[in-house]
Amino acid sequence: MKAIIAETTGPPEVLKLQEAPKPIAKDHEVLIKVEAISVNFADIKARLGQYHGVANNEPFTPGLDCAGIVEETGSAVTGFSAGDRVRAFPASGSYAEYVVASDQLVYKIPDSVSFEEAAATLTVGITAYNVLHEVARIQPGESVLIHAAAGGIGTTAIQLAKLAGISEIYGTVGSEEKMKVAEDLGAIAVNYRESNFAEVVAELTGGRGVDVILDTIAGENFEHSVEVLAPFGRIVSFGHANEGSVPGIVKTDELHSSCRAVLGYSTGTYRKQRPGFLRKAETIISELLEQRQLEVPITGRYTLEQAAQAHALMESRKSTGKLVLLP
């Protein structure tokens, strides 16, 4: 089969299409012929050697998730059979024509949902649902600030927040084009390149701040976010897009008196250590896709060989929505 292999960490150009052995499903694994692959920001971090589980200067295939057709199942697998349309978190990188995945991390796709939609929403859908509902435990009538609001997780989180009855949705973005993306979905967009987002959000909320903040940026962004976290509010840290920045500092004496909480989350950690936890969120996202209550803006489609182009665009911070690879 063909797969993208990075012989070392580095710029997008290290991603090369090569021949690789077709994987074989073990007892509890499913062999999948890949039809669509999601490009996630974590793939960029992995390529740069900044994502947990990736060792520097060792060849690897990037990619967290994909969708396709079951070709074979291991001897101990039940519930899946050849020909099933599925999406999955593969045991190794998803940038390939075939992958194997643990049967705990394979999910059937509704007939009305395309392979592209299924792949594009697996990681971002599960992550957005879990940080909002399972971690922050957001309640109807509360307010939320979503950083990187025009990206895959951001656009999904805006829609899920609306469905949850959230009264005020704020989103930070870095361009006029991205402001329109967030606003079209129902968020009040703030361009952090043109103004101090904390000051703007404080003014918009009459100084109260917001109940929930979703932060994938870290560093100073986290510290400024805490400034506008309302009493009893929850800030969820689930990424570090600003690699190399000084880690955000939490002043604990400012937390207990205001009953505010700082929470951490990683879909990757749950995938490795508690995979069963992810199934609830996947089921809900799948149902929303089937009911057309959740739309995924796929803004770029690339062949497997064009993976470096997809990475370059995402890394430029100019992309919106989701990018997919089509083997």
Side-chain angles (χ1 to χ4, degrees):
M1 70 167 187
K2 293 188 182 298
I4 292 293
I5 297 176
E7 297 292 345
T8 184
T9 55
E13 291 72 28
V14 302
L15 302 176
K16 302 293 186 183
L17 187 65
Q18 300 183 30
E19 291 290 336
K22 183 178 176 181
I24 299 172
K26 297 177 183 177
D27 290 349
H28 289 276
E29 291 182 331
V30 176
L31 174 65
I32 301 166
K33 180 181 183 297
V34 177
E35 299 291 337
I37 303 158
S38 174
V39 180
N40 295 289
F41 196 76
D43 304 344
I44 308 294
K45 308 297 283 188
R47 198 200 71 234
L48 295 172
Q50 298 168 354
Y51 188 71
H52 50 82
V54 175
N56 289 330
N57 300 317
E58 289 187 12
F60 71 98
T61 295
L64 298 179
D65 48 11
C66 62
I69 301 169
V70 173
E71 183 155 300
E72 294 178 1
T73 60
S75 60
V77 172
T78 60
F80 297 101
S81 57
D84 284 347
R85 301 172 73 251
V86 297
R87 56 182 178 172
F89 293 110
S92 55
S94 61
Y95 288 21
E97 294 179 325
Y98 289 88
V99 298
V100 292
S102 163
D103 57 0
Q104 293 188 73
L105 293 168
V106 179
Y107 315 93
K108 289 185 179 178
I109 303 171
D111 292 340
S112 62
V113 177
S114 71
F115 287 121
E116 290 183 14
E117 291 174 309
T121 55
L122 185 54
T123 293
V124 300
I126 286 175
T127 301
Y129 179 86
N130 281 340
V131 293
L132 279 171
H133 291 284
E134 300 295 337
V135 182
R137 299 185 182 277
I138 200 162
Q139 300 297 313
E142 289 191 316
S143 55
V144 62
L145 169 61
I146 301 167
H147 290 300
I153 291 175
T155 53
T156 304
I158 291 171
Q159 295 177 75
L160 293 179
K162 286 179 64 178
L163 290 170
I166 304 311
S167 59
E168 301 171 57
I169 304 171
Y170 302 94
T172 63
V173 295
S175 70
E176 292 297 318
E177 177 190 3
K178 292 185 176 183
M179 283 188 73
K180 187 176 187 309
V181 171
E183 289 169 347
D184 286 349
L185 290 171
I188 300 168
V190 180
N191 188 336
Y192 65 83
R193 295 187 189 277
E194 296 183 349
S195 57
N196 182 315
F197 77 83
E199 293 179 356
V200 174
V201 171
E203 182 177 353
L204 291 172
T205 59
R208 178 184 179 277
V210 291
D211 299 299
V212 171
I213 300 177
L214 306 184
D215 180 34
T216 55
I217 311 301
E220 289 185 1
N221 193 83
F222 175 87
E223 294 181 8
H224 291 313
S225 295
V226 174
E227 294 172 9
V228 289
L229 185 63
F232 302 95
R234 293 84 70 200
I235 180 170
V236 185
S237 174
F238 60 109
H240 54 286
N242 279 350
E243 184 67 31
S245 64
V246 177
I249 296 173
V250 178
K251 297 178 181 178
T252 56
D253 61 337
E254 296 180 1
L255 293 178
H256 67 82
S257 61
S258 59
C259 298
R260 297 182 297 172
V262 177
L263 303 157
Y265 173 83
S266 166
T267 294
T269 299
Y270 274 103
R271 193 176 67 240
K272 295 171 185 176
Q273 299 185 25
R274 299 184 181 182
F277 174 82
L278 302 178
R279 191 163 293 277
K280 175 186 174 182
E282 191 284 329
T283 299
I284 291 171
I285 295 299
S286 187
E287 290 173 351
L288 292 174
L289 288 171
E290 187 176 23
Q291 297 162 3
R292 295 297 157 190
Q293 294 189 64
L294 178 66
E295 298 288 339
V296 53
I298 298 175
T299 57
R301 295 169 174 82
Y302 300 82
T303 65
L304 200 53
E305 192 172 8
Q306 294 173 318
Q309 292 176 233
H311 272 226
L313 176 61
M314 182 171 282
E315 198 167 1
S316 74
R317 306 296 177 93
K318 295 180 180 178
S319 65
T320 59
K322 286 294 296 181
L323 309 179
V324 295
L325 305 179
L326 306 174

